[in-house]
Amino acid sequence: MGAAISIDYITHHYPGQEAPTLKDIQVTVAPGETVALIGQSGCGKSTLLHMLAGLLLPSEGCVRINGHQVIKPSPRWNMMFQKPSLYPWMTVRKNASLGLIFQGRKTDMRERIDQLLETVGLSEKAEVNVQSLSGGQQQRVALARSLATDPELLLLDEPFSALDAFTRVALQDEVTRLARERGISVVFVTHDIEEAVAMADRVLVMGSNPGTITAELPIDIAHPRDRNSQAFVDRKAELMGYFGATRTPATDKGSAEAEAPTPDTESEQDESSSSESRARVRAA
Amino acid sequence: MNREATLSVDTATVERLMPLLRFADQARRALQYPALGIAGLFALWYWGGWAIGNNEDTMAFASFAPGPTLAAFWDIVSSGAVWSPIESSLYRVGWGLAYAIAIGVPLGVMIGYFLTLKQVTHVPFQFLRMISPLAWMPVAVLAFATWDAAIIFLIAIAAVWPITYATAHGVQRIDPMWLKVGNNLGANPYHTLRYIVMPAIAQDVFAGIRLAVGVAWIVLVPAEYLGVTSGLGYAINDARDTLEYDKLAAFVLVIGIIGYMLDAICVRLIKRSSYHAEG
Ligand SMILES: Nc1ncnc2c1ncn2[C@@H]1O[C@H](COP(=O)(O)OP(=O)(O)O)[C@@H](O)[C@H]1O
Ligand SMILES: [Mg+2]
């Protein structure tokens, strides 16, 4: 069963920085929902994700998962990073087992890990050292490691951005399939608009200085998604337009070909320009 | 008489011998340069012995030459006289290193982990490190009831620094992501130490131990010149007093050989503890 998340008015100041990195972030995620966070680099996406994982506490506000305030990491919500960060002195199996070892759940560990490795297509590699794996295989081990403890929530911080295009697409589909099969809630950060449309039920666009959610776009395309379908292409174009909205007007010219209306960042209160769009542009 | 038949028999034989030949070739390659080095050292030694023997002032020490030394070496080995000093010396070095590891590794982990501790300890530790362990001799003799304990203390105090700093260096090189991922998977401090920190720094720790073994072995001999009546240092001192220079040189040889073996063991441990994939 997936986790219900409620991000309640989070504002965050890093020590030594006068402007807040995040300001008044308010988001809810339904159980089993997949939400993408997209925005230019430095707008605070990783910061927000670390707070969901309990790896960082917000200066104001709080994160609740199933009603409980998140104050520290837990095997029930798990984060995957851009680098797989496997432990190079361990085999594939040992790496994948770690969460269970730390929890002391060793009784049926072997069978569980066997099953998981089969799910991610690495049964053959169970006993080899992870250093001999390709980047995509390593990220699959990281995925197995994250899933081993049966998390209710998976947090992904640009987890596929270092992979080649084929592996990336395969893993996007795989994670989406696994999360849906298991009913896991997913929040993921990406730079890649196609990735957002391929995986998410809902896309949140973040703007920077301070980091806020500036737009929100539901992606109501049935799974498995055909990336060449008209709906998919339309949603990508639409999102491209909103992604453009988070840039400053001076650098905005590059996205002029985007079909969707591009609201002026100076007048975010004026929602009329996007009223006919399915997306909501949030007032700052 | 068939030339082709002879040829084919030959090829078959050669093919069967191939692994053997390949092995011999590998052995030759692996050994030829070390053999050259050893031969060079012997040549130097031989020349030195010859020079000493031909100089009237130093003639008395002629038995430092390879001939008498090797004869004496054979004597102490075949009579078994060599084992007791080796045992005493290894006992002291072993305990000295054990204490140095028991203190140095935890200390190094803390220094590597806490920047403040590193800054606080920098001046006092560098100060202490630069004092020759032998300078502690009078203190050690006062502080410890037995000579053995005093020598073990001297070895430990000499060996603790390389271990501490190699460990700290290893901890500082730990990828912060490894700790973050561990934290994220619910590792408690014990798990972090056992599954992440220790394997990550093992190679550095053994590199530190290798340096420490070198220092300990060097400190051991002068430490055994004082007070004790056993060990390799004592054996050298004793041979000098009885003017048995061939025996003295034979014990120097023993010290070198054992030191070399200890170092070789450390090198193997370093290799085995390395998590880097081979090749
Ligand atoms: N540990 C930190 N200390 C101070 N500032 C930080 C720290 N981590 C991130 N920041 C700052 O916070 C902002 C948001 O960072 P981040 O969340 O990593 O952005 P994103 O993931 O969207 O690229 C950046 O301007 C960055 O410089
Ligand atoms: Mg980031």
Side-chain angles (χ1 to χ4, degrees):
Chain A
M1 184 56 192
I5 309 165
S6 148
I7 300 174
D8 296 339
Y9 289 98
I10 281 186
T11 294
H12 190 70
H13 288 260
Y14 277 112
Q17 296 200 346
E18 41 192 289
T21 301
L22 296 176
K23 189 152 170 41
D24 295 337
I25 304 274
Q26 202 210 355
V27 175
T28 56
V29 178
E33 191 181 17
T34 297
V35 172
L37 275 176
I38 193 162
Q40 65 188 111
S41 102
C43 69
K45 304 181 297 292
S46 297
T47 303
L48 187 58
L49 218 56
H50 276 73
M51 287 168 179
L52 290 175
L55 292 167
L56 182 67
L57 289 179
S59 341
E60 287 167 46
C62 73
V63 176
R64 286 176 220 278
I65 295 183
N66 295 337
H68 299 288
Q69 189 175 345
V70 174
I71 48 169
K72 61 180 172 49
S74 155
R76 288 161 55 210
W77 46 89
N78 209 289
M79 183 140 161
M80 272 177 74
F81 304 91
Q82 181 173 356
K83 285 200 308 171
S85 291
L86 302 175
Y87 299 104
W89 49 87
M90 296 176 185
T91 60
V92 167
R93 175 187 299 283
K94 196 73 187 279
N95 266 288
S97 311
L98 268 187
L100 294 175
I101 293 175
F102 293 167
Q103 275 189 297
R105 285 164 59 182
K106 296 191 188 174
T107 39
D108 55 348
M109 187 165 81
R110 215 187 152 76
E111 295 77 57
R112 289 179 62 88
I113 299 301
D114 279 339
Q115 257 174 29
L116 260 177
L117 291 181
E118 197 177 329
T119 315
V120 299
L122 284 173
S123 293
E124 318 273 273
K125 302 279 184 184
E127 311 304 333
V128 311
N129 182 285
V130 288
Q131 289 175 89
S132 64
L133 302 184
S134 70
Q137 289 172 324
Q138 294 201 5
Q139 200 56 286
R140 285 201 164 88
V141 178
L143 178 62
R145 175 173 70 184
S146 293
L147 292 176
T149 51
D150 276 332
E152 301 161 33
L153 167 63
L154 210 49
L155 303 161
L156 313 169
D157 195 353
E158 302 179 28
F160 312 130
S161 56
L163 304 176
D164 65 85
F166 297 112
T167 316
R168 183 160 60 228
V169 168
L171 270 164
Q172 286 164 358
D173 292 349
E174 201 164 312
V175 168
T176 308
R177 178 177 59 83
L178 284 171
R180 291 175 60 80
E181 269 172 25
R182 293 162 186 240
I184 302 172
S185 311
V186 179
V187 179
F188 71 100
V189 165
T190 182
H191 277 136
D192 180 351
I193 285 177
E194 176 165 324
E195 183 165 288
V197 178
M199 295 175 67
D201 299 319
R202 189 154 51 105
V203 180
L204 301 176
V205 181
M206 273 182 84
S208 53
N209 295 321
T212 49
I213 309 286
T214 52
E216 185 175 328
L217 178 72
I219 313 280
D220 45 6
I221 307 175
H223 288 274
R225 289 178 180 169
D226 174 3
R227 293 177 192 231
N228 295 318
S229 70
Q230 194 54 47
F232 195 98
V233 174
D234 286 349
R235 223 52 94 241
K236 254 169 74 177
E238 198 171 348
L239 190 55
M240 185 66 99
Y242 283 98
F243 195 36
T246 65
R247 300 185 196 157
T248 58
T251 59
D252 206 14
K253 297 196 178 74
S255 63
E257 73 274 12
E259 294 161 33
T262 304
D264 185 357
T265 34
E266 309 293 334
S267 58
E268 280 172 356
Q269 263 82 357
D270 175 19
E271 293 192 17
S272 61
S273 63
S274 62
S275 57
E276 64 280 340
S277 162
R278 296 155 359 88
R280 286 182 289 122
V281 174
R282 292 193 174 188
Chain B
M1 163 80 201
N2 183 333
R3 200 162 160 263
E4 268 172 33
T6 336
L7 250 183
S8 67
V9 166
D10 276 355
T11 351
T13 325
V14 167
E15 241 155 52
R16 232 177 302 132
L17 284 176
M18 218 40 194
L20 206 67
L21 291 176
R22 221 176 286 132
F23 177 78
D25 194 50
Q26 273 174 2
R28 187 179 57 80
R29 269 167 217 253
L31 292 178
Q32 60 187 356
Y33 293 121
L36 200 65
I38 294 168
L41 187 62
F42 260 95
L44 204 64
W45 184 10
Y46 191 85
W47 174 80
W50 177 84
I52 289 172
N54 280 316
N55 185 330
E56 286 190 11
D57 295 336
T58 57
M59 221 154 20
F61 305 109
S63 46
F64 277 131
T69 301
L70 290 176
F73 180 75
W74 175 246
D75 262 4
I76 56 175
V77 172
S78 59
S79 72
V82 75
W83 303 118
S84 155
I86 288 178
E87 199 188 318
S88 309
S89 288
L90 283 182
Y91 171 84
R92 291 171 190 136
V93 166
W95 275 108
L97 282 172
Y99 282 115
I101 291 168
I103 296 166
V105 172
L107 194 60
V109 168
M110 305 240 286
I111 289 177
Y113 203 80
F114 301 106
L115 186 64
T116 347
L117 189 64
K118 184 183 175 190
Q119 289 166 340
V120 169
T121 56
H122 180 77
V123 172
F125 281 10
Q126 295 302 325
F127 170 81
L128 289 172
R129 193 170 74 89
M130 295 315 286
I131 298 172
S132 163
L134 295 174
W136 296 106
M137 194 71 193
V139 181
V141 171
L142 281 177
F144 294 94
T146 64
W147 281 101
D148 258 353
I151 291 174
I152 288 169
F153 167 77
L154 294 184
I155 290 170
I157 210 173
V160 77
W161 304 117
I163 295 174
T164 304
Y165 281 101
T167 305
H169 177 72
V171 172
Q172 281 167 343
R173 282 192 324 159
I174 290 179
D175 183 345
M177 287 302 292
W178 289 342
L179 300 176
K180 201 190 235 176
V181 167
N183 198 2
N184 190 222
L185 288 170
N188 64 27
Y190 164 76
H191 290 141
T192 305
L193 204 62
R194 157 92 169 66
Y195 290 96
I196 302 170
V197 174
M198 278 322 207
I201 65 172
Q203 192 183 6
D204 297 278
V205 171
F206 281 113
I209 291 176
R210 183 187 180 192
L211 292 176
V213 166
V215 174
W217 199 239
I218 287 168
V219 168
L220 171 83
V221 173
E224 284 179 340
Y225 281 177
L226 308 155
V228 289
T229 53
S230 62
L232 293 164
Y234 168 77
I236 287 183
N237 225 14
D238 191 47
R240 189 198 62 187
D241 291 346
T242 55
L243 307 180
E244 296 168 279
Y245 295 122
D246 51 348
K247 197 167 153 196
L248 191 158
F251 273 111
V252 170
L253 201 60
V254 170
I255 288 170
I257 291 170
I258 299 207
Y260 181 87
M261 285 180 357
L262 291 176
D263 189 65
I265 292 171
C266 291
V267 169
R268 290 207 66 156
L269 287 174
I270 292 173
K271 273 220 182 102
R272 281 187 56 173
S273 62
S274 163
Y275 58 77
H276 296 288
E278 308 251 322

